[in-house]
Amino acid sequence: MKTIGHLINGTAHTGSGRSQDVYNPSTGAVDKQVLLASKATVEEAIAAAQAAFPAWRNTPVQKRARIMFRFKELLEQNAEEICRLIGEEHGKISHDAMGELSRGIENVEYACGAPELLKGEHSKNVGPAIDSWSEFQPLGVVAGITPFNFPAMVPLWMYPMAIVCGNTFVLKPSERDPSSTLFIAELLLEAGLPAGVMNVVNGDKEAVDTLLQDKRVQAVSFVGSTPIAEYIYSQASANGKRCQALGGAKNHAIVMPDADMDNAVSALTGAAFGSSGERCMALSVAVAVGDAAADALVSKMQAQMQSLKVGAFSDSSNDFGPVITKAHQEKVVGFINSAQEQGAEIVVDGRRPTVSGYENGFFVGGTLIDRVTPEMTCYQQEIFGPVLLVVRVDSMQQAMDLIDDHEYGNGTCIFTRDGEAARYFSDNILVGMVGINVPLPVPVAYHSFGGWKRSLFGDLHAYGPDAVRFYTKRKTITQRWPSAGVREGAQFAFPS
Amino acid sequence: MKTIGHLINGTAHTGSGRSQDVYNPSTGAVDKQVLLASKATVEEAIAAAQAAFPAWRNTPVQKRARIMFRFKELLEQNAEEICRLIGEEHGKISHDAMGELSRGIENVEYACGAPELLKGEHSKNVGPAIDSWSEFQPLGVVAGITPFNFPAMVPLWMYPMAIVCGNTFVLKPSERDPSSTLFIAELLLEAGLPAGVMNVVNGDKEAVDTLLQDKRVQAVSFVGSTPIAEYIYSQASANGKRCQALGGAKNHAIVMPDADMDNAVSALTGAAFGSSGERCMALSVAVAVGDAAADALVSKMQAQMQSLKVGAFSDSSNDFGPVITKAHQEKVVGFINSAQEQGAEIVVDGRRPTVSGYENGFFVGGTLIDRVTPEMTCYQQEIFGPVLLVVRVDSMQQAMDLIDDHEYGNGTCIFTRDGEAARYFSDNILVGMVGINVPLPVPVAYHSFGGWKRSLFGDLHAYGPDAVRFYTKRKTITQRWPSAGVREGAQFAFPS
Amino acid sequence: MKTIGHLINGTAHTGSGRSQDVYNPSTGAVDKQVLLASKATVEEAIAAAQAAFPAWRNTPVQKRARIMFRFKELLEQNAEEICRLIGEEHGKISHDAMGELSRGIENVEYACGAPELLKGEHSKNVGPAIDSWSEFQPLGVVAGITPFNFPAMVPLWMYPMAIVCGNTFVLKPSERDPSSTLFIAELLLEAGLPAGVMNVVNGDKEAVDTLLQDKRVQAVSFVGSTPIAEYIYSQASANGKRCQALGGAKNHAIVMPDADMDNAVSALTGAAFGSSGERCMALSVAVAVGDAAADALVSKMQAQMQSLKVGAFSDSSNDFGPVITKAHQEKVVGFINSAQEQGAEIVVDGRRPTVSGYENGFFVGGTLIDRVTPEMTCYQQEIFGPVLLVVRVDSMQQAMDLIDDHEYGNGTCIFTRDGEAARYFSDNILVGMVGINVPLPVPVAYHSFGGWKRSLFGDLHAYGPDAVRFYTKRKTITQRWPSAGVREGAQFAFPS
Amino acid sequence: MKTIGHLINGTAHTGSGRSQDVYNPSTGAVDKQVLLASKATVEEAIAAAQAAFPAWRNTPVQKRARIMFRFKELLEQNAEEICRLIGEEHGKISHDAMGELSRGIENVEYACGAPELLKGEHSKNVGPAIDSWSEFQPLGVVAGITPFNFPAMVPLWMYPMAIVCGNTFVLKPSERDPSSTLFIAELLLEAGLPAGVMNVVNGDKEAVDTLLQDKRVQAVSFVGSTPIAEYIYSQASANGKRCQALGGAKNHAIVMPDADMDNAVSALTGAAFGSSGERCMALSVAVAVGDAAADALVSKMQAQMQSLKVGAFSDSSNDFGPVITKAHQEKVVGFINSAQEQGAEIVVDGRRPTVSGYENGFFVGGTLIDRVTPEMTCYQQEIFGPVLLVVRVDSMQQAMDLIDDHEYGNGTCIFTRDGEAARYFSDNILVGMVGINVPLPVPVAYHSFGGWKRSLFGDLHAYGPDAVRFYTKRKTITQRWPSAGVREGAQFAFPS
């Protein structure tokens, strides 16, 4: 059985004795073990990062960026292997894994632009012959803590930008699917990164708490569920670190009466069931305005879902794979049960999917539930499974009120052809990422990713321009030169 | 006796019954009382701000900016009255008060540029016929909590930008010198600001805690001492608010052997004793490199300090005034005593200044202490009085190590003619605001103000470009329009 | 009879002997004479500007900006007088003149943000211990040449930004309505501008050619007709100056079948007839897609135009006033005649308006011409009068082809509710300023104004961010400091 | 004998019959012929570019950028071959060719950041519910005309950015060393660029004039000598194109008395003689302040130049190679002769270098001429050979006046340790690119390259941020949506 360890100071590292099973969710089998770093092991990683900082910070930014150019090449060359590792441990189908990786590579591409992104602001003559400028200097050691659902992409949101800005990094990825993350980090070293600049520690709460408490860690980026995000944010803040912590979501799509319904149905199918709904940007609630729109939507969705195919990661003809654990499978089914009990209508039922040859896999089939109301459990919580809820309202304002009243504010979308409806919606809705006829409005790598309300704690969003600001601190210099120097021919006297 | 109340929803407000003395530090007399807001009063202010938000947010930014243009005019027209109010309650001389006000007005001028500053980022064709853009939307109700030492300037660092960005504001100024702050806020209303957009509550910990706990408050800006800054930051963060909290300082100036010594002495005199040293950017430690430089510096400082004049705020020939309270006067004298006891050399002794006619004023004279070492109490803590310490070191590296080892990292300065020394210093020193032959490197209003280490908690600095980001949140919109609309002549069908 | 002279080096100046009549177009009377500067007079102005440059360039940018703040106040205080002067010589009604002035003041407001706008780009460590930054330095003496139709606004597009960037200026306004321009320039001096920084010379081709040929003039901004713009651009370029020259327009509005027709009619009425159509952004062609849309548009326009009121500038109940000269009045009528002769349908005929009491005024009434085709003279040329042409097409693509085939590409607009149509139009149309349900898409002062094709010669548009780049030149500095200086304690040896 | 043709619409092309010899300057031999495009051939290239434009413009910017990522990889993989081609036809040694190529690749790296660089400006609520934004759209077909001295680098300044911005390109490289340029363009196609987006035509004045006159060419970038630059600029401008034309240089270095003389001598040696001085950024004049500095400089230069090695491109131990042609060799020698005749002192004489085995090569040895005065021919003109002039002055102001009085203003440098001298120099000198102890202050790729005075015609500099603006045009869209659409439930009526 394979053992997955750490990457510290440029070399593989096994550290302490605790470990944990890593499952293949398509088969239910345990093929690997992941080591769980002790406090001492994490501190070793932090020390390596701290030691690597001074030289890395002084490396010209263009040189730092060139390592990212090379990293991109290696990621592309190794894409197939990365997708296989993701599939084995996470369960997502290769086309989905490739989509994830592509989004991750976009962030590496953006980091290649560091020389432009790190430009400071220069002001001439802020006073007579006085100049002033602001530099954006790296912080030092920064940490990332990332979730199971995007083992390649979410870490790539963080460390390429942190590192290209001159910081050194300690990453604690999800212990459920650690292999692709570790493999990718090794590629970065292969791209020429000096030892110690990038470190990976696998682990659990002990590792997390060490990162949150260690004085040498200057900043923490986190993506996961809202309760953990809140814990991370308040702990890191209380310890004087800067922190951005991204949490959960419940993303609604409004379907207006004038929507192009075929387009909406096609978009919703991918956005609700892709990656088994285990995405913080998954569209999990469709809000239809008017019963006519609702009836059309539900009947067309039902038809479309006939051809949805759930199955093992290794068959690329599948649309989506298993969920991450047995426990999570049961939780998702529990949400569907509760919806039924609380009076909603199960239009398409995915509770007992047949995946022949993979009877122990953690599968849930695509599920469509109509006539959901805001009081239901399935509406109030994040399901994180392949389940689409339909809520029926009478007006666009009601639809918007629903969205604004939910605790989360990550993503949302409207389907309409009407410019006015789109503008009113995008202007007023209390959600950070808004789609207009775009079901998964994940910002491209050159914008930034972040929800509102309890979907994000912190001022600055993930990746893109905000990440540059998050991973640097401003230093402002004001300069005046005394006259009577060499220009006027004076010999400036040393005190003697 | 005059009573100073609150400004809520556009009108003067007296609120609850508690109150506190306001002193005239030049005379030691109590001429006024300030009301201390109860929780209910603060909540009333928050409610007013909340109610004013929707209309204000939708007001075109150019219109919002025009109120700032008018506000600037009113500040200039009322400058004399503002300086008188500052002098009476804070004690600073009118030229110093005018300097403070001018710096505050610069921030209003910067806020006038809001239409440019609030521009979002627009990307065409992020995918085929898909566009994406990021907007910077206001947060809602934001709060400011400000210190006694700059009753005009520090509030003006905060609310003009917060308000012009579309937020509404609740300010809790220092209860020691509240009159100028309140008067200025009234001018903003006179400039045309709608009622409720700007509110002022005087108060103490009860008011502060209400602001920190109320769910409607989205963000908190604070300037004060480090222990309070840390409290504010961890409380606000734990309550899910964004927060920037600026704390204390111990600003060192390095005097190199090649410095223009007359220039350095003149600069240090103003920077150490101006405003009685009650500035977070005061230069309180001179680090001389080599005994030759130290001896020259001390002897020239001693000579220059002969003409330093401390006295009442009302006489503009004075260089600086009293400190803020009797207790603070005693604390400053205590620091000087401790220096003497711990072996430093009191070169110029300001412990018993004579200010005839103002025998009860809280005065401390300009004090110069040589041969201070890092172990001494006077070195380790922030004195916040007219006291300049001289530390002697052998090399520039020693001087920089001293600075980097101190817990604060607000401002610092080097006196030299040498380009290399200046560049090495400004690049490597762990301090947020750096002067090169500039003793008070306060960034101009179009840069941003912020220290490093324990001088600032949060990611974004005060005023300038960082304030725009602090007072807005990013919303990213991704838009695609389905085809077959009116352009192709199709009648788009409503579901029927 | 009043004589209007020049403003050179801070004082009124009469210069050479040539002069020209200035008309009151509402009455047809000549009440004033304007002096026409000789080459020598223009050179005197250039010399004054050249002499004022070094000190002005070195004035801190914040101080330069503060003069713009004061200038804005004075413009607001003198608005009524300015509008009267505009009305007397140009003929526009006071509400229209006030609109013009407001747009001009917005440009002054934007110039107040110069400290932000002039920030350079600063890069740390472009190589080991090598820094590099770009500054945007002023050019020196720059010139502006402006048209009769916006005697207040167009000059304010130019010189506030040029001057706040550190340049000095020579303005040659239109000789047809010079008084308001001159009066405004005097207000700028009153605001505190040093003598010589801003100069005004009235004149004709002799003055223009002097500006184009003088080596000391570094840049020329021009707004006028296309043939003159082309002359100015090629002459200035051949003389090594930078130049931006804005020319004519023929702005089309597409009216789609789904447009809100009442809104479109109301918008078109203002955009076609306001200021007698003497605006380079006037909407002079409505392109209706489909006969149904065309019929609805024409009948509603006809109804709406019943209440259009043409008359003297002094009666603010008038909608618009006379055209600028007798000759121009005849030219506009000639275009209407030609339309009739070439087969178009004159729906509303403004050729013989009755303006009682002003029988000698240069009036043309609002005119609507249907069934215009691209071959007609009235379509091919810029009429610059209160005449709206209607062209009927079968599809949106035909409408767009019409626009793209015209030699001008200044402004355009579409009326629709459909997001897809709007996006396709704005993406593909070969026009610089595009409105979506906005008939006069003049960019706000914080964007930039400029047409495409033969409507603008040069790379950079007028006002806004482009103006900052036009009125400054980039200087890039790369800096490395040799070691072994004072920091290491070395005494650096002078050669001896 | 090899024949070098064109690259049009993705394929090799031979076109018309005229051709010209291509020399190997190290041997003096003719090994290849280059075809000279006729008007018809150039028009074919323009037509290919025009046809490729619509699809390329609509390709998402990220996809366009990815071709640049791939292009960078191919350039790195083929570096050796590129350097060999440069060496054979230009004569520069491989380390120098590799330096050139690296600088070129930096521009490709910068172009990879296009998604960030092309972001437009977005403004919410410019009026009530009115939004406005500016896009930067490509121009269409643009042309580049490039010089012999950097056959790889200068074209790479232009077309990667032009193309990544969405334009299509026609390049006319120097006919003296066309092979590396053509080879590199083929790599870009190999990287995945669609046919027709990039085209290369070899040729002479006929090709140039065709590019300048053809209406389909929207913009022209040129680098070469000042007289040609001036011709290109005035012709292109008169034909309504945007143009940037970079010309000649005479770059001075000021050597101050406090300079680190060893550093200065080492820097000057590389900057004066590298690439035989055939660089527009070559340092060709050293201005020593004071005879002491001058004497030290000359004696140290003389010593250092003992080891300078001139020879054939194929021996990488050589410091520099031949000049480009026999005629140019004679011209350089003529300048040295004239200096001698006019009274200067030839300290090191490179007129008859011995390069054994390469007796027919076009070699000139490193030459140092002291006591040059501004009246001498060698001072007034650009020599473009391995010749360093020393001018002696008494003060820094005299040195600066010399520089400012020269017609060129490309690059300059000061050697000093003094912060004040450096700041005064960089602030005031009338030169576009300034070095402080940096002898060749070529801006890095993420800044922009451009001289002042007669060294550049146009407003925008080459490469970097300015290139983004040069290769795009601003379009500003203002949008308002009429209400009463689908949001309010209204059925919007079609006219019927």
Side-chain angles (χ1 to χ4, degrees), chain A residues 50-121:
Chain A
Q50 180 84 341
F53 178 60
W56 183 242
R57 156 204 201 282
N58 284 337
T59 303
V61 57
Q62 187 83 285
K63 284 203 177 174
R64 297 195 309 242
R66 279 191 189 127
I67 291 171
M68 293 299 154
F69 275 99
R70 178 75 184 124
F71 184 35
K72 170 184 147 80
E73 293 176 40
L74 293 173
L75 287 169
E76 288 170 345
Q77 290 164 17
N78 291 276
E80 209 171 316
E81 172 67 0
I82 293 167
C83 291
R84 195 186 57 75
L85 290 170
I86 295 173
E88 267 180 24
E89 300 177 7
H90 174 280
K92 67 177 74 171
I93 317 303
S94 62
H95 49 74
D96 194 18
M98 193 60 82
E100 167 182 358
L101 180 58
S102 297
R103 284 291 190 158
I105 291 174
E106 281 180 32
N107 286 282
V108 180
E109 290 172 356
Y110 190 69
C112 292
E116 178 70 18
L117 300 170
L118 286 173
K119 280 180 182 171
E121 307 173 1

Side-chain angles (χ1 to χ4, degrees), chain B residues 133-147:
Chain B
W133 68 94
S134 292
E135 303 179 354
F136 295 96
Q137 295 200 348
L139 308 173
V141 180
V142 302
I145 302 168
T146 54

Side-chain angles (χ1 to χ4, degrees), chain C residues 250-272:
Chain C
K250 192 80 175 182
N251 304 312
H252 297 59
I254 299 182
V255 181
M256 294 294 285
D258 73 334
D260 177 329
M261 202 59 72
D262 290 332
N263 173 55
V265 164
S266 160
L268 281 167
T269 303

Side-chain angles (χ1 to χ4, degrees), chain B residues 61-62 66 69-70 72-73 76-77 102 105-106 108-110 112-113 115-117 119 124-125 127-131 256-258 395-397 400 416-421 423-428 444-447 465 479 481-488 492, chain C residues 61-62 66 69-70 72-73 76-77 102 105-106 108-110 112-113 115-117 119 124-125 127-131 256-258 395-397 400 416-421 423-428 444-447 465 479 481-488 492:
Chain B
V61 57
Q62 188 83 285
R66 279 190 190 128
F69 276 99
R70 178 74 185 126
K72 170 184 147 80
E73 292 175 40
E76 289 170 344
Q77 289 165 16
S102 297
I105 291 173
E106 281 180 31
V108 179
E109 290 172 356
Y110 190 68
C112 291
E116 178 71 17
L117 300 170
K119 280 179 180 171
K124 206 62 185 299
N125 282 332
I130 301 175
D131 302 332
M256 294 293 285
D258 72 335
S395 71
M396 180 165 153
Q397 192 58 53
M400 288 177 64
T416 184
R417 290 174 181 283
D418 187 85
E420 198 275 339
R423 198 268 181 195
Y424 183 87
F425 176 72
S426 70
D427 184 29
N428 289 289
V444 285
Y446 42 105
H447 285 258
Q479 179 173 281
W481 291 107
S483 57
V486 68
R487 182 164 67 91
E488 293 90 344
F492 30 100
Chain C
V61 56
Q62 188 82 284
R66 282 197 186 121
F69 275 99
R70 179 74 184 125
K72 170 185 147 78
E73 293 175 41
E76 289 170 345
Q77 289 164 18
S102 297
I105 291 174
E106 282 181 32
V108 180
E109 290 172 355
Y110 190 68
C112 291
E116 179 70 18
L117 300 170
K119 280 180 180 170
K124 205 63 185 299
N125 281 333
I130 301 175
D131 302 332
M256 294 294 285
D258 73 334
S395 71
M396 180 166 154
Q397 193 58 52
M400 287 177 64
T416 183
R417 289 173 182 283
D418 186 86
E420 197 275 339
R423 199 269 181 195
Y424 184 87
F425 176 71
S426 70
D427 183 29
N428 289 290
V444 286
Y446 42 106
H447 285 258
Q479 180 173 279
W481 291 107
S483 58
V486 68
R487 183 165 67 90
E488 294 89 344
F492 30 100

Side-chain angles (χ1 to χ4, degrees), chain B residues 1-4 19-34 88-89 175-176 324-326 360-362:
Chain B
M1 187 170 293
K2 199 186 165 208
T3 297
I4 303 157
S19 69
Q20 181 177 307
D21 293 344
V22 176
Y23 286 82
N24 179 333
S26 299
T27 62
V30 174
D31 303 322
K32 309 174 195 168
Q33 293 281 312
V34 62
E88 267 179 24
E89 299 177 9
E175 64 277 24
R176 292 198 190 128
I324 187 71
T325 60
K326 185 76 190 165
N360 296 321
F362 312 145

Side-chain angles (χ1 to χ4, degrees), chain C residues 92-93 139 147 204 260 274 361 367 390 400 405 492:
Chain C
K92 67 177 73 172
I93 316 302
L139 308 173
D204 53 12
D260 177 329
T367 300
V390 178
M400 287 177 64
D405 289 346
F492 30 100

Side-chain angles (χ1 to χ4, degrees), chain A residues 24-29 322-323 326 329 353 355 357-364:
Chain A
N24 178 333
S26 299
T27 63
V323 298
K326 186 76 192 164
Q329 181 195 32
V355 184
Y358 294 88
E359 283 70 17
N360 296 322
F362 312 146
F363 297 100
V364 181

Side-chain angles (χ1 to χ4, degrees), chain D residues 182-235:
Chain D
L182 192 64
F183 180 73
I184 290 173
E186 288 163 352
L187 293 179
L188 180 53
L189 294 182
E190 188 183 331
L193 196 74
V197 176
M198 172 69 189
N199 306 276
V200 180
V201 288
N202 284 300
D204 53 11
K205 191 163 187 301
E206 180 175 343
V208 166
D209 285 342
T210 306
L211 291 171
L212 292 176
Q213 286 154 15
D214 195 290
K215 289 282 177 215
R216 294 167 296 183
V217 174
Q218 304 294 323
V220 178
S221 295
F222 171 84
V223 174
S225 68
T226 286
I228 309 297
E230 201 161 20
Y231 171 78
I232 298 276
Y233 186 70
S234 65
Q235 289 295 303

